[in-house]
Structure formats: structure tokens, C-alpha cells
Amino acid sequence: VSDLRSREAFVALKVHKGPFSAAAFYELLARYSATSLSGAHASTTVLAHQQLPFVPAHRANVMLAYDGPRYVAAIDGLYTSANNANNLPGHVELFVGAGLRTRNGILSVSVENPFGAYSGSFISSRYAVPLTTSNGPFSTLAIPLPSVWTVKYQITPAIKAK
């Protein structure tokens, strides 16, 4: 696409207070073509003044964390607008984790998508958002968001003083 136009913005904020921290960002990814390719192709997803396919217009994130002497914990929420790479409607992905510091490392448990939003085992049309083309809507397949649980023990090597 030779006449690709883009309006992009990114704003971020981080705050620390003792063992607590918070971070947030907002990203605008407005990418579009000034003209349509419909004259050259029978059906196209590149339409004049429309967002390019699979490029979400908005993304936002909020993260809260605690990093104490004995425990660590975090919760993170990521919003992605429609027209995303998974072909899902706009959605929030949640990530939660907690850990316990031990003498030799950190034992942690975390989960991605704990409530199973837009989950599934296979790519299907179940939650798919159709693409807009010059000939009308085109059915697509959506990639589900996995629910992933992780248990990890990270060993911290001891440093000997000389």
C-alpha cells in the first residue's frame, strides 16, 4: 500500500511508592490507506480511510505490583480493540501472579486469562469478527485466548564475598 497514512500516539505513566508500583500506557495505532485498492482487485480489505486489517486502533495496559521482602505479586490488564491479530472483538486480557521468596529463590504461581475470556482449544469462527471488504463483510476465523497456569521456582545463585 503506497499511500499508507498513520496517526500514532503513546502515553505511559509509572509510579513507585515503597514496595508498590503501578504502570499504565495507552497506544493509538491508527493506520489506514488514503485510497482503496478495489479498482485493482475484485475484493480487498484495504479500503479508503479504514483501519488496516489486523491492526487494532487502540491498546491500553494497567499493571499493579508489590515487591516486598517476603512476597511478590502483580496483576496486569491489557485492553486490545477490535481488528486485532486474533480476529476477536475488543477485549481485556488479565494476568495475575504471586510469589514467595525463599532462601535460594522465588516460588511463583501465575495465570494468564484466569476467567477464560474468548477461550477455546481450536481456531474457529466462534468469536470471530468479520473483515470489512469492498464487496461486504468476509467471515474470518478467530484465534482463542489461552488460559495458562504456570508454577515456577527460580533459583537465585549465592554470591560469595571475597
Side-chain angles (χ1 to χ4, degrees):
V1 179
S2 62
D3 61 347
L4 179 66
R5 306 294 165 88
S6 181
R7 283 191 304 255
E8 298 183 15
F10 183 83
V11 177
L13 172 68
K14 280 187 170 182
V15 178
H16 295 280
K17 182 72 173 169
F20 298 96
S21 63
F25 80 78
Y26 170 77
E27 185 174 28
L28 171 68
L29 299 167
R31 294 186 182 150
Y32 61 94
S33 174
T35 59
S36 176
L37 295 180
S38 60
H41 305 283
S43 181
T44 181
T45 57
V46 180
L47 303 176
H49 309 291
Q50 297 290 319
Q51 184 76 1
L52 290 177
F54 313 116
V55 180
H58 308 279
R59 289 185 344 140
N61 178 270
V62 175
M63 188 269 306
L64 303 171
Y66 172 78
D67 189 2
R70 186 86 173 124
Y71 302 99
V72 295
I75 185 167
D76 188 8
L78 173 66
Y79 170 75
T80 305
S81 67
N83 194 37
N84 52 66
N86 290 51
N87 273 338
L88 293 172
H91 60 276
V92 174
E93 291 179 70
L94 187 64
F95 307 88
V96 180
L100 170 68
R101 294 185 196 279
T102 66
R103 211 171 72 162
N104 298 320
I106 298 176
L107 174 64
S108 62
V109 176
S110 62
V111 61
E112 176 183 342
N113 194 17
F115 303 114
Y118 298 111
S119 63
S121 300
F122 303 101
I123 295 173
S124 72
S125 60
R126 182 174 180 189
Y127 303 116
V129 175
L131 286 174
T132 302
T133 72
S134 56
N135 288 340
F138 178 79
S139 296
T140 61
L141 297 176
I143 301 170
L145 300 176
S147 289
V148 179
W149 287 80
T150 305
V151 177
K152 178 172 76 172
Y153 186 72
Q154 180 178 342
I155 298 172
T156 306
I159 300 173
K160 294 184 181 184
K162 290 185 177 184

